[in-house]
Amino acid sequence: MSETQALTTPAGELRATDDLDKVVTALKFFRVMAIIAGVALLILCVELILHYGFNNEALSWWSPIHGVLFIIFMASVYNLGTKLRWTAVRMVGYICTAFVPVLSFWLEHRVNTGVSALIGEAEGGR
């Protein structure tokens, strides 16, 4: 891949001048946060069932923690998305998966598979 060429796949776009180590680090951060966000959402669902279904406040402290974790997940999507030149619509779509229980686990697998293949192609071309 020459200086002006770009490697473009459905997973994203990499250019010869891009630092692959930063992309790999961003992918790891995204994967960790997608899994944490998924688990946090499942715990939030349990908290809501306890609160509204059984009038139990045992997990009432969880909502603010979930909010902070969700914001960090959004940052991880933005971080990876800017490195792979994703559109804003795509990043917002990926963030929206965190609103549906277990969907972030599917997203993590899908993005990891695509981006890992993209990184492999980029490393092979250098």
Side-chain angles (χ1 to χ4, degrees):
M1 190 164 47
S2 72
E3 287 288 319
T4 57
Q5 286 181 325
L7 179 60
T8 304
T9 69
E13 177 184 311
L14 288 174
R15 296 185 182 144
T17 56
D18 290 342
D19 185 354
L20 288 181
D21 290 335
K22 288 183 179 179
V23 176
V24 169
T25 301
L27 177 61
K28 288 178 184 176
F29 179 52
F30 168 80
R31 291 185 68 199
V32 168
M33 287 314 304
I35 291 169
I36 289 173
V39 171
L41 183 59
L42 292 174
I43 295 170
L44 182 67
C45 290
V46 170
E47 189 268 330
L48 291 173
I49 291 168
L50 287 173
H51 178 78
Y52 292 107
F54 301 100
N55 206 19
N56 184 327
E57 300 295 325
L59 289 175
S60 61
W61 53 271
W62 182 252
S63 295
I65 294 170
H66 170 264
V68 170
L69 293 173
F70 180 73
I71 291 169
I72 297 170
F73 171 70
M74 289 191 309
S76 75
V77 170
Y78 178 79
N79 183 34
L80 183 61
T82 55
K83 288 177 177 38
L84 295 174
R85 294 169 183 82
W86 290 345
T87 64
V89 172
R90 184 176 187 174
M91 285 190 260
V92 168
Y94 284 176
I95 289 168
C96 287
T97 64
F99 295 128
V100 180
V102 304
L103 201 53
S104 64
F105 301 118
W106 168 81
L107 177 70
E108 180 274 328
H109 175 73
R110 182 172 179 250
V111 169
N112 180 52
T113 302
V115 174
S116 294
L118 177 63
I119 291 169
E121 287 181 45
E123 287 175 338
R126 290 189 179 184

